[in-house]
C-alpha cells in the first residue's frame, strides 16, 4: 500500500514526518517490544533526527542501522553516521550496542559490505533470505536515486545480497539492496525541493525506466509512505 502525504514546505515535512516516525516507533515497540530502524543521510533527515531526539522513547528497545554510507571514516563531514550521531544518537540514552554503523575503515568495500550483511543476519536471526526491518527511511536524489542505488549501476541488479557496493562516479559507498528495502514493514521517503520535481514525476510515471530512476524500484511488501513538500511536488501537475 502506498500513501502520499503532500505538505506545504520543508518545515511542515519535518514536523509531519517526525510525528509519523515517532508514532511508528512507539507502535512497533508496543507490538513487538523492539524496533529496528534504518536511517537515511542527506540534509532533509537531519532536523527530523533532532526532533526524534527530543521525544520520550524507550531507547533501549530501539536498534539503529544505516541504509547506506559513504566509504569514509565516521569522523568525516560526509559521513551519514556522523550526522545521525550528532543530531540524534549522541543526545539520547541509547545503548551503544543498539547502534550498528556500516563499517567503512577496511579499505575493501565489498568485504565490508559482506561484514555488515552478516551483522544484519545475526541480528535478525536470518540465515537465508531477507530480514524485515520495521522502518527504513529514504531520501531521493534529483537523479532519482535512493540510498546509494544510482541509475544504471550494478547495485540495482543485486537480488541475492542484503548489502552491496554502490558507485557514484568514482566514489564507492555501502548500500542496502533493493530486495532488502522491499522486505521492510514501513518504507518512508522524505522528498523536499524544486530540484526533485522531474525525478519524482518520473518515479510515479508507469512508463518510466526504473533503472534510470531507481526510487521506482522501491515497492515494499509493507507500507510505502511518501512525504513530499510543495516545492518537490510534481506528481499531480
Amino acid at each position: 500500500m502506498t500513501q502520499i502525504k503532500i505538505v506545504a514546505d520543508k518545515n511542515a515535512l519535518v514536523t509531519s514526518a517526525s510525528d509519523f516516525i515517532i508514532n511508528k516507533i512507539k507502535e512497533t515497540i508496543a507490538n513487538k517490544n523492539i524496533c529496528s530502524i534504518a536511517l537515511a543521510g542527506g540534509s532533509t533527515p537531519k532536523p527530523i533526527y533532532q526532533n526524534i531526539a527530543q521525544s520520550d522513547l524507550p531507547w533501549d528497545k530501539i536498534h539503529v542501522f544505516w541504509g547506506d554510507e559513504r566509504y569514509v571514516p565516521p569522523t568525516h563531514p560526509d559521513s551519514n553516521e556522523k550526522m545521525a550521531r550528532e543530531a540524534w544518537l549522541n543526545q539520547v540514552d541509547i545503548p551503544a550496542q543498539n547502534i550498528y554503523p556500516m563499517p567503512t575503515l577496511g579499505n575493501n568495500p565489498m568485504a565490508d559490505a559482506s561484514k555488515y550483511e552478516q551483522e544484519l543476519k545475526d541480528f535478525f536471526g536470518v540465515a537465508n533470505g531477507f530480514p524485515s526491518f520495521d522502518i527504513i527511511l529514504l531520501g531521493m536524489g534529483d537523479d532519482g536515486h535512493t540510498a546509494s542505488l544510482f541509475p544504471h549501476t550494478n547495485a540495482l541488479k543485486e537480488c541475492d545480497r542484503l548489502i552491496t557496493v554502490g558507485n557514484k562516479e568514482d566514489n564507492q559507498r555501502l548500500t542496502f539492496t533493493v530486495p532488502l528495502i522491499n522486505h521492510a514493514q514501513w518504507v518512508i521517503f522524505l522528498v523536499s525541493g524544486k530540484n526533485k520535481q522531474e525525478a519524482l514525476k518520473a518515479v510515479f510515471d508507469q512508463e518510466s525506466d526504473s533503472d534510470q530512476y531507481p526510487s521506482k524500484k522501491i515497492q515494499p511488501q509493507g507500507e510505502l509512505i511518501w512525504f513530499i513538500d510543495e516545492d518537490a511536488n510534481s506528481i499531480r501537475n
Side-chain angles (χ1 to χ4, degrees):
M1 180 179 172
T2 300
Q3 298 182 46
I4 301 171
K5 299 179 182 291
I6 309 293
V7 296
D9 52 28
K10 185 174 180 179
N11 287 337
L13 186 152
V14 168
T15 299
S16 182
S18 298
D19 290 345
F20 186 88
I21 293 164
I22 290 166
N23 286 334
K24 286 302 164 193
I25 291 172
K26 289 179 177 178
E27 286 178 18
T28 302
I29 292 172
N31 291 331
K32 300 171 52 180
N33 205 38
I34 190 172
C35 179
S36 58
I37 181 169
L39 305 186
S43 59
T44 303
K46 183 176 180 179
I48 294 173
Y49 299 160
Q50 292 170 331
N51 283 352
I52 295 173
Q54 299 302 313
S55 62
D56 183 18
L57 291 169
W59 302 112
D60 62 318
K61 300 183 187 303
I62 299 171
H63 293 257
V64 178
F65 301 79
W66 276 263
D68 76 314
E69 182 61 275
R70 295 172 175 85
Y71 204 67
V72 296
T75 54
H76 193 282
D78 292 338
S79 168
N80 291 339
E81 176 189 349
K82 181 178 189 293
M83 183 273 281
R85 285 187 182 275
E86 292 176 350
W88 170 9
L89 302 175
N90 291 349
Q91 312 304 321
V92 300
D93 191 24
I94 186 170
Q97 64 268 26
N98 287 23
I99 302 172
Y100 306 80
M102 286 183 159
T104 57
L105 297 175
N107 296 316
N108 187 331
M110 188 53 76
D112 280 336
S114 296
K115 181 179 178 181
Y116 201 61
E117 178 165 323
Q118 189 59 53
E119 193 167 6
L120 295 189
K121 289 181 177 180
D122 292 344
F123 173 80
F124 286 99
V126 174
N128 299 298
F130 293 89
S132 178
F133 274 86
D134 295 310
I135 301 168
I136 295 179
L137 306 181
L138 295 174
M140 187 191 74
D142 56 13
D143 60 354
H145 86 268
T146 191
S148 284
L149 300 165
F150 292 95
H152 301 293
T153 55
N154 289 333
L156 298 181
K157 304 173 185 176
E158 184 55 68
C159 57
D160 297 320
R161 295 178 59 89
L162 280 60
I163 308 295
T164 192
V165 176
N167 292 279
K168 183 180 183 183
E169 299 168 347
D170 294 330
N171 298 318
Q172 292 183 304
R173 308 175 180 205
L174 304 187
T175 185
F176 280 16
T177 59
V178 171
L180 175 59
I181 296 172
N182 282 341
H183 274 76
Q185 295 303 307
W186 293 90
V187 176
I188 302 169
F189 269 97
L190 309 166
V191 184
S192 173
K194 291 183 181 297
N195 61 321
K196 307 295 177 66
Q197 286 187 10
E198 182 179 345
L200 189 67
K201 190 170 185 177
V203 167
F204 282 88
D205 181 354
Q206 292 184 352
E207 304 301 320
S208 66
D209 179 6
S210 64
D211 285 335
Q212 179 66 44
Y213 299 97
S215 293
K216 188 175 180 178
K217 293 183 180 289
I218 306 307
Q219 299 292 334
Q221 65 178 13
E223 303 282 339
L224 177 60
I225 314 295
W226 289 84
F227 283 91
I228 302 167
D229 71 10
E230 281 292 356
D231 279 349
N233 182 26
S234 60
I235 58 178
R236 295 179 184 172
N237 291 348

